[in-house]
DNA sequence: TAGGAACCTGACGTTGACGTCAGAGGTAGC
DNA sequence: GCTACCTCTGACGTCAACGTCAGGTTCCTA
């Protein structure tokens, strides 16, 4: 498929896909005229990339770990990095759960006082 | 306390604290000479701000919700925003848990193949 | 074969949360 | 009062992950 189709299938913009290629994260065959062509696997790869980005992992780190992710093979160094990222993801989750508790306590109090008719001071 | 002490107590840079003030998130008394002075509550407030930032909430949104967070009082509009942020935080947590599963499966495979002596292809 | 949609390569713009530097003034211990 | 650090304002720099625009080429359908 061409880049537009990959874009609609993944929900990732064409510009972003070209950016992934720039960063070495996503390879593409080229037609004679230079247009990019992708296989079906590209869809999963793009989703994986997005997932890693969402975990706050930089493109440089993703670049390091991607071959290992796809081949299932990793050097001790990469293994250590993966473990480091794992624990950072765990910490992110814990922090967010903390934030959730904060938001919930705020919401509980706010709903109560709103029911009692007290308005919010303007920002 | 002065800004340096607040910085070391919270682990947030002096520059960031001044930035919070610029954004209206953190107020400070001023001495005759213009130096900032903070009360003890500032430590908690800074931590709260950091927590909200970590949840991907922008300074503009934090600015809107902070008075309500501190007073426990919110207008219906702010309430709706808070609920919106809450569900976005929930989604972030779910996504991260997904990522965690991915990383774990990668790690499981990688450890196995590393034990079997297969090296990682160089990045 | 025409023409509009999709694609190409640069290259500059954007956004948020700060980093960093300069030059000047404030503070505190000895 | 000296000195070493702390703080001030103002302003430009940074970084990542794209957005956007320009000017040109390619593809596909009628």
């Amino acid at each position: 498929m061409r880049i537009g189709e990959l874009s609609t299938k993944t929900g990732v913009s064409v510009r972003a896909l070209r950016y992934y290629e720039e960063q070495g994260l996503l390879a593409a065959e080229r037609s004679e005229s230079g247009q990019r062509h992708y296989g079906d696997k590209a869809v999963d790869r793009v989703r994986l990339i997005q997932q890693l980005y969402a975990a706050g992992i930089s493109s440089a780190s993703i670049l390091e770990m991607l071959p290992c992710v796809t081949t299932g093979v990793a050097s001790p160094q990469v293994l250590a990095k993966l473990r480091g990222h794992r624990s950072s993801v765990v910490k992110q989750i814990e922090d967010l759960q903390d934030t959730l508790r904060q938001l919930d306590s705020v919401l509980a109090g706010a709903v109560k006082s709103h029911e009692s008719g007290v308005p919010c001071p303007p920002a």
Side-chain angles (χ1 to χ4, degrees), chain A residues 2 5 26-27 30 40-41 45 55 58 62 65-66 75-76 80-82 85 88-89 95 105 110 113 118:
Chain A
R2 290 191 295 164
E5 191 179 343
L26 180 65
R30 294 297 187 120
D40 289 344
K41 290 181 190 171
R45 192 173 178 96
S58 71
I62 295 177
M65 62 174 68
L66 260 187
S75 71
K81 275 222 171 188
L82 281 171
H85 283 304
S88 111
V89 171
D95 288 350
S105 79
S113 60
V118 191

Side-chain angles (χ1 to χ4, degrees), chain A residues 73-86:
Chain A
V73 176
S75 71
Q77 289 84 350
V78 170
L79 217 53
K81 275 222 171 188
L82 281 171
R83 290 197 176 114
H85 283 304
R86 199 207 115 94

Side-chain angles (χ1 to χ4, degrees), chain A residues 40-52:
Chain A
D40 289 344
K41 290 181 190 171
V43 176
D44 285 337
R45 192 173 178 96
V46 169
R47 292 203 175 125
L48 178 59
I49 292 170
Q50 285 264 306
Q51 206 164 30
L52 295 174

Side-chain angles (χ1 to χ4, degrees), chain A residues 15-59:
Chain A
R15 177 65 178 92
L17 294 175
R18 294 202 189 104
Y19 175 75
Y20 295 167
E21 184 174 309
E22 272 180 47
Q23 303 302 305
L25 302 178
L26 180 65
E29 304 284 305
R30 294 297 187 120
S31 71
E32 289 260 320
S33 62
Q35 298 209 344
R36 294 169 179 84
H37 286 268
Y38 301 91
D40 289 344
K41 290 181 190 171
V43 176
D44 285 337
R45 192 173 178 96
V46 169
R47 292 203 175 125
L48 178 59
I49 292 170
Q50 285 264 306
Q51 206 164 30
L52 295 174
Y53 270 134
I57 300 172
S58 71
S59 51

